[in-house]
């Protein structure tokens, strides 16, 4: 049949159409086009807004928090990203789940946090460690001087202590204003020359702690926002994939995943490769640095007989891949230039062994 040049997605579609039953697909499956995909995405977005799907009742708080933070236009943009980056997000989300199980905890650990926590948790944990008598003594010592800088700091510590004693409320903004500027950078002057040496030591220690707490609160805010976004993405993805199944449609990622699953099933793969083998003499992979791990599994499964058994007794068959890891579109459809290097090593070893 001559040399067939096509994308790997087009190849996977043809393979699945030839072996639909082996791939556990309806022979009448269709590939999702942009128009149908947009319709399905709009249905999924509506479900995220209404949250009327069973099991999504507890997501309303996450949705409302994001709408308040992002405003309506920003929230709509977020929903748009869910469809435009759906496959990449789903791939990373599933990898996060597979690697860590408790993906929410993994998300917080990735930002240097001990576990899933809120801003209130962090503040209460820090307040619980503070020596409040030391804070009261510091307030008295700073307020008694003539320096305006010290007096303002003293009043802030005094107010901080009162609010904590009055209702266990830790007002971080009060102590933050003493040590940090509005943009979060450390203040150059914390106290004046008249400050007692013991108070200076306490102030320096508190300055370090408050800066660390400020960074921690930023990390918690990022984690909270991401957690809310991923929870809503879960709803979106479940609805979107259910709608795809209802339409009997596959998207590009489905084509790759279904083909990989087919060629990873020993029984089915043996039959498929037996039927294909007579028609495969040369496999050429262009832009190999942007070939994902799943795509390499497909390429290596198709070429498995090139290097073993009866495959060596026929005419010479070749697997040729060309790429440059420095030109990788990193992350594109799961692309990782490290996979190119790893595949080169594996295939090279198999060729030498053969």
């Amino acid at each position: 049949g001559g040399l067939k040049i096509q994308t790997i997605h087009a190849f996977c579609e043809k393979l699945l159409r030839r072996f639909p039953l082996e791939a556990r697909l309806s022979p009448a499956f269709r590939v999702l086009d942009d128009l149908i995909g947009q319709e399905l995405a709009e249905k999924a977005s509506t479900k995220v807004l209404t949250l009327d799907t069973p099991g999504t009742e507890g997501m309303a708080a996450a949705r409302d928090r994001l709408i308040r933070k992002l405003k309506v236009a920003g929230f709509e943009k977020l929903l748009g990203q869910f469809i435009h980056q759906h496959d990449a997000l789903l791939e990373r989300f599933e990898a996060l789940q597979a690697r860590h199980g408790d993906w929410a905890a993994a998300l917080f650990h990735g930002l240097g946090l001990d576990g899933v926590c809120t801003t209130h948790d962090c503040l209460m944990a820090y307040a619980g460690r503070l020596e409040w008598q030391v804070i009261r003594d510091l307030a008295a010592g700073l307020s008694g001087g003539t320096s305006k800088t010290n007096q303002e700091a003293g009043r802030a510590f005094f107010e901080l202590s009162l609010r904590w004693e009055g209702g266990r409320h830790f007002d971080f903004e009060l102590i933050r204003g003493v040590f940090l500027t509005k943009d979060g950078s450390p203040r150059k002057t914390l106290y004046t020359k008249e400050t007692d040496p013991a108070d200076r030591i306490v102030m320096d220690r508190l300055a370090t702690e408050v800066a660390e707490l400020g960074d921690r609160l930023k990390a918690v805010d990022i984690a909270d926002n991401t957690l809310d976004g991923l929870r809503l993405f879960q709803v979106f993805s479940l609805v979107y994939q259910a709608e795809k199944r209802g339409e009997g449609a596959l998207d590009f990622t489905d084509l790759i995943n279904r083909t990989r699953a087919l060629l990873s099933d020993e029984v089915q793969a043996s039959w498929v490769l037996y039927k294909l083998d007579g028609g495969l003499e040369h496999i050429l992979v262009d832009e190999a640095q942007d070939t994902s791990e799943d795509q390499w599994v497909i390429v290596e499964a198709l070429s498995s007989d090139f290097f073993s058994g009866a495959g060596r007794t026929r005419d010479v068959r070749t697997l040729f891949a060309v790429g440059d890891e420095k030109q990788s579109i990193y992350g594109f459809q799961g692309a990782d230039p490290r996979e190119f290097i790893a595949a080169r090593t594996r295939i090279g070893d198999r060729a030498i062994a053969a």
Side-chain angles (χ1 to χ4, degrees), residues 52-181:
D52 57 2
T53 304
T56 63
E57 298 82 2
M59 303 289 186
R63 176 200 61 195
D64 295 344
R65 279 193 297 268
L66 284 176
I67 290 176
R68 284 195 299 271
K69 288 179 179 179
L70 300 176
K71 310 305 179 188
V72 174
F75 187 75
E76 288 177 348
K77 185 177 180 181
L78 176 67
L79 293 181
Q81 291 303 309
F82 283 173
I83 182 56
H84 292 309
Q85 298 184 1
H86 176 267
D87 295 341
L89 282 170
L90 183 62
E91 181 183 348
R92 295 188 181 198
F93 183 71
E94 289 177 343
L96 189 66
Q97 284 184 303
R99 193 177 302 120
H100 301 285
D102 185 352
W103 60 269
L107 175 65
F108 279 73
H109 280 301
L111 286 163
L113 301 167
D114 300 331
V116 178
C117 57
T118 64
T119 298
H120 181 264
D121 295 334
C122 287
L123 291 176
M124 291 301 102
Y126 179 69
R129 295 194 301 270
L130 272 179
E131 300 176 49
W132 285 99
Q133 186 55 52
V134 173
I135 296 297
R136 288 189 286 271
D137 292 343
L138 185 62
L142 293 173
S143 300
T146 59
S147 162
K148 182 180 178 181
T149 298
N150 285 6
Q151 289 176 353
E152 288 179 350
R155 282 195 294 271
F157 287 125
F158 183 67
E159 185 67 25
L160 186 75
S161 178
L162 279 180
R163 294 186 184 185
W164 177 252
E165 292 173 356
R168 288 295 185 267
H169 171 63
F170 184 73
D171 192 337
F172 178 65
E173 289 305 310
L174 275 173
I175 195 170
R176 182 186 186 281
V178 173
F179 297 103
L180 304 175
T181 62

Side-chain angles (χ1 to χ4, degrees), residues 46-60:
T46 300
K47 293 292 184 182
V48 171
L49 288 170
T50 59
L51 293 177
D52 57 2
T53 304
T56 63
E57 298 82 2
M59 303 289 186

